[in-house]
Amino acid sequence: MVAPHLAAPGGKPYEPPRFTGFLVFALLGIAAGAETAGGALRPAWLSWAGLAVSSLLYGFVVVMSFRGRPRPAWIALAALAAVVTALAWRFGGGWHYLFPLVGVACGVALYGRAVRWALAALTAVTAATVWAAGGRIDLILAFSWGTFSTGVVVAVILHLHAVIGELRETRQRLAEAAVAQERLRFARDLHDLLGHTLSVIVVKAEAARRLARRDPGQAERQAADIETVGRQALGEVREAVTGYRRGGLADELDRAADALRAAGVEVVLRRTGPPPGAHAESLLGWVVREGVTNVIRHSGATRAEIHVTGTSVTIRDDGRAGPAEPGTTGVGSAGSGLRGLAERLAESGGLVEAGPLAEGGFRLSARLPGSAPSP
């Protein structure tokens, strides 16, 4: 099993160590080269050829592993182990120092259980080879431990680099997700805030225009209301930008009733049950805002009923039901306002149902966890 951290996908945020840093381990063949040059290993040509082949195979294992090509790396690793073992049995001496080089190659090319089994087998072969060459127990332990430990250290280092890379990539993804979530919150808040507020301003502006000649005093009061609503909207937008807006349900109901009356809609408001908690009050305030905005902008209703409990809000009107068929309860095909409202409540385990009624009109119902359907 090849180490997945050695494959080099494009665009990764973290680079593992370069393969050039592992090529220096080929210097472990210096001892065998020195003994060959000194005439201790005969025939010399076989030892020199073995050193050249071992170095090439080791370099090939490292390069293929870092390029994410496991199969050629495994084949070269097996060939390297065979060459080093055969020549160590043949010559002994400095060739025993090539076993740690094979251990490093195992740590680079293999991963997980494969590297553990390979190092265990290589350690046993090292001990047997040194013992067969007449080595003392201290030499057997030294070469065996050196072979095993170098492979383990290299494997652990590369694994730690892989973990660091994954953590950095995960942190980057979490940061991107947080930014996307904040953009969604900001867009949803602006839609809910401005959609309702602008609808109220339009309704009151129309009322002021109609009353300008017939009742200037009333028209002036409507204009003052427009100014008040505009100032409130400005403050709410600023709060939404900073993320600290907390909608009060009572204030939201007062503004909703005032907006509906200004639009010529009769309002029936009922509150039952215990008062909602702070979080539930904020969510139910969003429901009232979105529901009343839809009544004013889309329904053409003359009467609207708002029923509020500690954990639910139901808004019914007698206006045009819209294109959906009676009995529809989903919001998947609704406008962005209802979809955003459903997403907002779903984050707290709530549910939004909206659709036309068989007897005419439209109904919006929102329930938080633990609530029963509003009557």
Side-chain angles (χ1 to χ4, degrees):
M1 179 178 182
V2 71
H5 56 290
L6 298 184
K12 61 184 178 182
Y14 182 75
E15 289 287 343
R18 297 182 179 275
F19 69 88
T20 52
F22 291 90
L23 296 180
V24 297
F25 284 99
L27 296 176
L28 290 171
I30 288 178
E35 291 184 359
T36 304
L41 304 180
R42 297 294 181 181
W45 67 266
L46 180 60
S47 181
W48 287 121
L51 285 172
V53 171
S54 299
S55 299
L56 290 174
L57 287 174
Y58 173 75
F60 187 79
V61 169
V62 172
V63 172
M64 290 297 101
S65 297
F66 273 84
R67 289 184 177 179
R69 300 178 62 183
R71 193 172 299 277
W74 294 344
I75 295 174
L77 175 61
L80 174 64
V83 169
V84 170
T85 301
L87 293 180
W89 277 91
R90 173 65 176 80
F91 294 113
W95 271 92
H96 294 153
Y97 289 93
L98 272 296
F99 281 114
L101 182 68
V102 182
V104 173
C106 289
V108 172
L110 303 176
Y111 193 74
R113 292 184 178 180
V115 70
R116 293 196 292 268
W117 284 107
L119 287 175
L122 183 62
T123 301
V125 171
T126 303
T129 304
V130 177
W131 175 78
R136 300 185 308 272
I137 187 64
D138 57 339
L139 290 177
I140 295 174
L141 292 177
F143 282 109
S144 301
W145 175 248
T147 299
F148 181 79
S149 60
T150 52
V152 169
V153 168
V154 169
V156 169
I157 289 175
L158 291 178
H159 177 69
L160 289 178
H161 278 285
V163 171
I164 293 172
E166 291 174 359
L167 288 176
R168 293 186 63 176
E169 183 178 357
T170 300
R171 184 174 63 180
Q172 180 67 22
R173 291 181 178 178
L174 289 176
E176 293 173 355
V179 171
Q181 185 68 22
E182 182 63 13
R183 287 176 178 172
L184 176 62
R185 180 200 68 81
F186 184 61
R188 193 167 53 194
D189 284 1
L190 283 184
H191 174 276
D192 293 345
L193 287 169
L194 297 182
H196 172 78
T197 303
L198 293 177
S199 298
V200 173
I201 290 176
V202 169
V203 169
K204 287 186 172 292
E206 291 177 349
R209 178 176 54 81
R210 291 194 303 267
L211 295 171
R213 295 182 180 180
R214 187 173 68 252
D215 191 346
Q218 183 65 22
E220 183 179 354
R221 286 191 290 272
Q222 293 290 342
D225 288 344
I226 292 175
E227 180 181 359
T228 301
V229 172
R231 293 183 183 277
Q232 291 176 348
L234 181 60
E236 289 175 345
V237 169
R238 288 172 177 170
E239 292 173 352
V241 169
T242 58
Y244 293 111
R245 182 179 188 276
R246 296 293 182 267
L249 181 58
D251 294 339
E252 207 66 67
L253 289 172
D254 290 341
R255 286 195 291 265
D258 185 54
L260 288 171
R261 294 189 185 99
V265 180
E266 179 185 356
V267 183
V268 178
L269 178 62
R270 290 184 294 161
R271 298 195 63 171
T272 59
H279 183 61
E281 182 177 6
S282 176
L283 292 176
L284 296 180
W286 284 113
V287 176
V288 171
R289 175 182 287 266
E290 179 63 26
V292 170
T293 299
N294 288 338
V295 172
I296 294 174
R297 296 173 63 182
H298 305 302
S299 70
T302 59
R303 175 185 170 89
E305 299 179 5
I306 305 175
H307 181 207
V308 181
T309 71
T311 51
S312 69
V313 169
T314 300
I315 300 176
R316 292 183 54 173
D317 64 67
D318 60 355
R320 298 184 299 271
E325 295 295 329
T328 302
T329 59
V331 295
S333 60
S336 59
L338 288 180
R339 285 198 300 271
L341 184 64
E343 293 170 0
R344 189 190 298 274
L345 266 70
E347 293 175 357
S348 299
L351 176 66
V352 175
E353 296 179 344
L357 300 172
E359 63 273 18
F362 193 86
R363 178 178 181 269
L364 169 65
S365 177
R367 301 192 301 273
L368 296 178
S371 65
S374 301

